[in-house]
Amino acid sequence: QQQVKQSPQSLIVQKGGISIINCAYENTAFDYFPWYQQFPGKGPALLIAIRPDVSEKKEGRFTISFNKSAKQFSLHIMDSQPGDSATYFCAASMNNYGQNFVFGPGTRLSVLP
Amino acid sequence: DAGVTQSPTHLIKTRGQQVTLRCSPKSGHDTVSWYQQALGQGPQFIFQYYEEEERQRGNFPDRFSGHQFPNYSSELNVNALLLGDSALYLCASSLGGSSEQYFGPGTRLTVT
Protein backbone atom coordinates (compact mmCIF):
# COMPACT_ATOMS: atom_id res chain seq x y z
CA GLN A 1 0.00 0.00 0.00
CA GLN A 2 2.95 2.27 0.51
CA GLN A 3 4.31 1.68 -3.00
CA VAL A 4 4.34 4.13 -5.86
CA LYS A 5 4.66 2.53 -9.30
CA GLN A 6 6.26 4.44 -12.15
CA SER A 7 6.54 3.85 -15.88
CA PRO A 8 8.28 3.72 -18.24
CA GLN A 9 11.66 2.83 -16.79
CA SER A 10 13.36 4.74 -19.60
CA LEU A 11 12.17 7.09 -22.32
CA ILE A 12 13.76 8.48 -25.47
CA VAL A 13 12.18 11.55 -27.05
CA GLN A 14 13.17 13.78 -29.93
CA LYS A 15 13.85 17.46 -29.25
CA GLY A 16 10.57 19.37 -29.34
CA GLY A 17 8.49 16.30 -28.54
CA ILE A 18 6.29 15.55 -25.52
CA SER A 19 7.63 13.38 -22.70
CA ILE A 20 5.03 11.56 -20.61
CA ILE A 21 5.78 9.68 -17.38
CA ASN A 22 3.08 7.88 -15.43
CA CYS A 23 2.72 6.96 -11.77
CA ALA A 24 0.16 5.00 -9.77
CA TYR A 25 -0.44 4.62 -6.05
CA GLU A 26 -2.63 2.55 -3.75
CA ASN A 27 -2.86 4.43 -0.48
CA THR A 28 -5.74 6.93 -0.64
CA ALA A 29 -4.33 8.72 2.39
CA PHE A 30 -1.61 10.26 0.20
CA ASP A 31 -2.34 13.96 -0.20
CA TYR A 32 0.70 15.45 -1.88
CA PHE A 33 2.27 14.33 -5.15
CA PRO A 34 5.55 15.95 -6.23
CA TRP A 35 7.81 15.29 -9.17
CA TYR A 36 11.56 15.52 -8.80
CA GLN A 37 14.30 15.85 -11.44
CA GLN A 38 17.71 14.40 -10.72
CA PHE A 39 20.91 14.83 -12.71
CA PRO A 40 23.82 12.40 -12.23
CA GLY A 41 25.74 13.10 -9.04
CA LYS A 42 23.16 15.60 -7.79
CA GLY A 43 20.29 15.54 -5.33
CA PRO A 44 16.68 15.52 -6.57
CA ALA A 45 15.24 18.95 -7.38
CA LEU A 46 11.56 19.72 -6.88
CA LEU A 47 9.92 20.36 -10.26
CA ILE A 48 6.21 20.61 -9.67
CA ALA A 49 3.67 19.20 -7.22
CA ILE A 50 -0.08 18.70 -6.97
CA ARG A 51 -2.72 17.96 -4.34
CA PRO A 52 -5.77 15.72 -4.93
CA ASP A 53 -8.24 18.61 -5.01
CA VAL A 54 -7.14 19.65 -8.52
CA SER A 55 -6.90 17.59 -11.70
CA GLU A 56 -4.15 19.50 -13.45
CA LYS A 57 -1.34 21.90 -12.66
CA LYS A 58 0.92 23.61 -15.17
CA GLU A 59 4.23 25.37 -14.62
CA GLY A 60 5.99 26.44 -17.78
CA ARG A 61 6.63 23.37 -19.93
CA PHE A 62 5.76 20.97 -17.09
CA THR A 63 2.21 19.76 -16.42
CA ILE A 64 0.89 17.29 -13.85
CA SER A 65 -2.36 15.50 -14.64
CA PHE A 66 -4.06 13.87 -11.66
CA ASN A 67 -6.82 11.24 -11.74
CA LYS A 68 -8.04 10.68 -8.19
CA SER A 69 -10.50 7.90 -9.01
CA ALA A 70 -7.87 5.92 -10.89
CA LYS A 71 -5.17 6.76 -8.32
CA GLN A 72 -2.85 7.81 -11.10
CA PHE A 73 -0.88 10.92 -11.96
CA SER A 74 1.43 11.83 -14.76
CA LEU A 75 4.08 14.35 -15.75
CA HIS A 76 4.02 15.89 -19.22
CA ILE A 77 7.06 17.77 -20.49
CA MET A 78 6.16 19.86 -23.52
CA ASP A 79 8.74 20.91 -26.12
CA SER A 80 11.32 18.57 -24.56
CA GLN A 81 14.91 19.81 -24.72
CA PRO A 82 18.26 17.98 -24.46
CA GLY A 83 18.79 19.79 -21.14
CA ASP A 84 15.74 17.91 -19.79
CA SER A 85 17.69 14.65 -20.03
CA ALA A 86 17.70 13.40 -16.44
CA THR A 87 16.02 10.89 -14.15
CA TYR A 88 12.52 11.82 -13.02
CA PHE A 89 10.94 10.55 -9.82
CA CYS A 90 7.32 10.78 -8.78
CA ALA A 91 6.57 10.68 -5.09
CA ALA A 92 3.65 10.68 -2.70
CA SER A 93 3.27 11.66 0.91
CA MET A 94 0.66 12.08 3.62
CA ASN A 95 0.68 14.64 6.36
CA ASN A 96 0.55 12.40 9.38
CA TYR A 97 2.55 14.44 11.88
CA GLY A 98 5.46 14.71 9.53
CA GLN A 99 6.13 14.11 5.89
CA ASN A 100 7.25 10.64 4.85
CA PHE A 101 7.82 10.61 1.11
CA VAL A 102 7.45 7.40 -0.90
CA PHE A 103 9.31 7.61 -4.21
CA GLY A 104 8.76 5.76 -7.46
CA PRO A 105 11.70 3.87 -8.99
CA GLY A 106 12.44 6.63 -11.50
CA THR A 107 12.33 7.18 -15.26
CA ARG A 108 15.50 7.94 -17.19
CA LEU A 109 14.64 10.46 -19.90
CA SER A 110 16.91 11.06 -22.88
CA VAL A 111 16.03 13.90 -25.25
CA LEU A 112 17.81 13.57 -28.59
CA PRO A 113 19.00 16.77 -30.32
CA ASP B 1 20.02 32.13 0.37
CA ALA B 2 21.95 28.95 1.06
CA GLY B 3 20.32 25.72 0.06
CA VAL B 4 20.71 22.37 1.78
CA THR B 5 24.35 21.45 2.27
CA GLN B 6 25.85 18.07 3.10
CA SER B 7 29.28 16.85 4.07
CA PRO B 8 31.37 15.06 3.17
CA THR B 9 30.76 14.67 -0.58
CA HIS B 10 32.28 11.22 -0.78
CA LEU B 11 33.28 8.70 1.85
CA ILE B 12 34.89 5.26 1.74
CA LYS B 13 34.57 2.98 4.76
CA THR B 14 35.33 -0.62 5.59
CA ARG B 15 32.68 -3.14 6.55
CA GLY B 16 32.01 -3.04 10.30
CA GLN B 17 33.07 0.58 10.74
CA GLN B 18 30.87 3.48 11.79
CA VAL B 19 30.14 6.64 9.79
CA THR B 20 28.66 10.07 10.50
CA LEU B 21 27.14 12.23 7.78
CA ARG B 22 26.19 15.87 8.24
CA CYS B 23 23.47 18.14 6.90
CA SER B 24 22.65 21.82 7.17
CA PRO B 25 19.08 22.69 6.18
CA LYS B 26 17.98 25.44 3.85
CA SER B 27 17.85 28.81 5.57
CA GLY B 28 14.59 29.15 7.52
CA HIS B 29 13.85 25.42 7.55
CA ASP B 30 13.52 23.52 10.83
CA THR B 31 12.82 19.95 9.70
CA VAL B 32 15.37 17.52 8.31
CA SER B 33 14.71 14.18 6.64
CA TRP B 34 17.26 11.58 5.59
CA TYR B 35 16.99 9.25 2.60
CA GLN B 36 19.07 6.40 1.22
CA GLN B 37 19.29 6.13 -2.57
CA ALA B 38 20.81 2.95 -3.96
CA LEU B 39 22.19 3.10 -7.49
CA GLY B 40 19.39 3.19 -10.06
CA GLN B 41 16.61 3.40 -7.48
CA GLY B 42 14.43 6.03 -5.90
CA PRO B 43 15.25 7.48 -2.48
CA GLN B 44 14.10 5.48 0.55
CA PHE B 45 12.97 7.37 3.65
CA ILE B 46 15.14 6.72 6.72
CA PHE B 47 13.81 9.17 9.32
CA GLN B 48 12.79 12.76 9.97
CA TYR B 49 13.88 15.14 12.73
CA TYR B 50 11.92 18.08 14.09
CA GLU B 51 12.59 20.03 17.28
CA GLU B 52 15.59 17.79 17.94
CA GLU B 53 13.45 14.65 18.07
CA GLU B 54 12.89 11.80 15.63
CA ARG B 55 9.36 12.36 14.37
CA GLN B 56 9.03 9.57 11.83
CA ARG B 57 11.06 6.55 10.87
CA GLY B 58 11.12 4.35 7.79
CA ASN B 59 11.93 0.67 7.58
CA PHE B 60 15.60 0.87 8.56
CA PRO B 61 17.38 -1.04 11.36
CA ASP B 62 18.59 0.53 14.59
CA ARG B 63 22.09 0.70 13.13
CA PHE B 64 20.82 3.90 11.55
CA SER B 65 20.48 6.71 14.07
CA GLY B 66 20.39 10.46 13.93
CA HIS B 67 20.49 13.68 15.78
CA GLN B 68 19.28 17.22 15.28
CA PHE B 69 21.02 20.18 16.88
CA PRO B 70 19.46 23.42 18.19
CA ASN B 71 20.53 25.21 14.96
CA TYR B 72 18.46 22.59 13.03
CA SER B 73 21.48 20.92 11.46
CA SER B 74 21.48 17.15 11.60
CA GLU B 75 23.70 14.09 11.63
CA LEU B 76 23.09 10.59 10.34
CA ASN B 77 25.07 7.82 12.02
CA VAL B 78 25.38 4.31 10.68
CA ASN B 79 27.02 1.61 12.84
CA ALA B 80 28.42 -1.77 11.85
CA LEU B 81 28.51 -0.89 8.17
CA LEU B 82 27.49 -3.54 5.64
CA LEU B 83 28.36 -3.69 1.98
CA GLY B 84 24.68 -3.06 1.26
CA ASP B 85 24.88 0.32 2.97
CA SER B 86 26.78 1.66 -0.04
CA ALA B 87 24.51 4.34 -1.46
CA LEU B 88 23.90 8.04 -1.92
CA TYR B 89 22.60 9.50 1.35
CA LEU B 90 20.34 12.48 0.84
CA CYS B 91 19.23 15.08 3.30
CA ALA B 92 16.08 17.10 2.69
CA SER B 93 14.77 20.06 4.62
CA SER B 94 11.37 21.63 5.03
CA LEU B 95 9.56 24.06 7.29
CA GLY B 96 7.44 22.53 10.03
CA GLY B 97 4.70 20.42 8.51
CA SER B 98 5.19 21.73 4.99
CA SER B 99 5.14 19.21 2.19
CA GLU B 100 7.79 21.04 0.17
CA GLN B 101 11.09 19.29 0.71
CA TYR B 102 14.36 20.49 -0.75
CA PHE B 103 17.22 18.06 -1.17
CA GLY B 104 20.93 18.51 -0.73
CA PRO B 105 23.51 17.12 -3.16
CA GLY B 106 24.02 13.97 -1.10
CA THR B 107 26.95 12.06 0.36
CA ARG B 108 28.20 9.09 -1.65
CA LEU B 109 29.12 6.31 0.81
CA THR B 110 31.10 3.33 -0.40
CA VAL B 111 31.57 0.37 1.94
CA THR B 112 34.35 -2.04 0.99
Side-chain angles (χ1 to χ4, degrees):
Chain A
Q1 265 218 331
Q2 285 292 92
Q3 270 191 323
V4 174
K5 297 180 181 178
Q6 183 173 347
S7 64
Q9 186 174 4
S10 61
L11 182 61
I12 299 175
V13 174
Q14 292 288 337
K15 178 182 175 181
I18 302 174
S19 303
I20 302 174
I21 305 171
N22 302 297
C23 283
Y25 63 97
E26 288 295 323
N27 192 340
T28 55
F30 287 140
D31 62 1
Y32 179 73
F33 302 89
W35 284 90
Y36 284 85
Q37 178 190 58
Q38 187 175 30
F39 292 104
K42 304 293 185 182
L46 179 63
L47 261 182
I48 186 173
I50 198 168
R51 292 198 179 272
D53 53 345
V54 297
S55 60
E56 186 174 281
K57 183 175 181 180
K58 183 177 181 180
E59 289 184 2
R61 296 186 295 110
F62 301 94
T63 300
I64 297 180
S65 296
F66 187 83
N67 186 329
K68 188 175 181 178
S69 60
K71 292 185 283 187
Q72 295 175 350
F73 59 110
S74 60
L75 175 69
H76 296 232
I77 305 175
M78 312 300 287
D79 187 26
S80 298
Q81 299 297 313
D84 296 331
S85 298
T87 300
Y88 292 81
F89 294 96
C90 62
S93 74
M94 67 187 92
N95 191 357
N96 56 343
Y97 190 56
Q99 291 290 345
N100 171 357
F101 279 60
V102 179
F103 282 81
T107 295
R108 179 173 289 184
L109 172 65
S110 296
V111 181
L112 303 179
Chain B
D1 182 17
V4 180
T5 60
Q6 292 186 243
S7 63
T9 305
H10 296 90
L11 204 52
I12 299 175
K13 289 287 188 178
T14 302
R15 188 172 48 185
Q17 286 187 318
Q18 178 264 343
V19 67
T20 297
L21 311 181
R22 295 176 176 82
C23 171
S24 291
K26 182 178 168 67
S27 178
H29 285 183
D30 58 6
T31 303
V32 172
S33 301
W34 286 93
Y35 293 80
Q36 179 194 68
Q37 185 177 24
L39 200 60
Q41 297 183 23
Q44 299 277 324
F45 176 75
I46 303 174
F47 43 54
Q48 183 181 78
Y49 276 84
Y50 174 70
E51 292 188 342
E52 302 180 50
E53 291 191 359
E54 184 181 292
R55 183 158 69 173
Q56 278 202 342
R57 189 179 183 92
N59 189 24
F60 278 80
D62 292 344
R63 297 187 298 109
F64 290 78
S65 63
H67 187 77
Q68 186 177 34
F69 299 94
N71 66 353
Y72 308 122
S73 66
S74 176
E75 288 182 348
L76 165 66
N77 301 293
V78 186
N79 295 323
L81 285 167
L82 304 174
L83 296 179
D85 294 333
S86 295
L88 180 68
Y89 286 85
L90 295 163
C91 167
S93 75
S94 58
L95 177 60
S98 169
S99 304
E100 288 192 13
Q101 287 195 9
Y102 294 87
F103 283 83
T107 293
R108 172 70 62 188
L109 172 65
T110 302
V111 182
T112 62

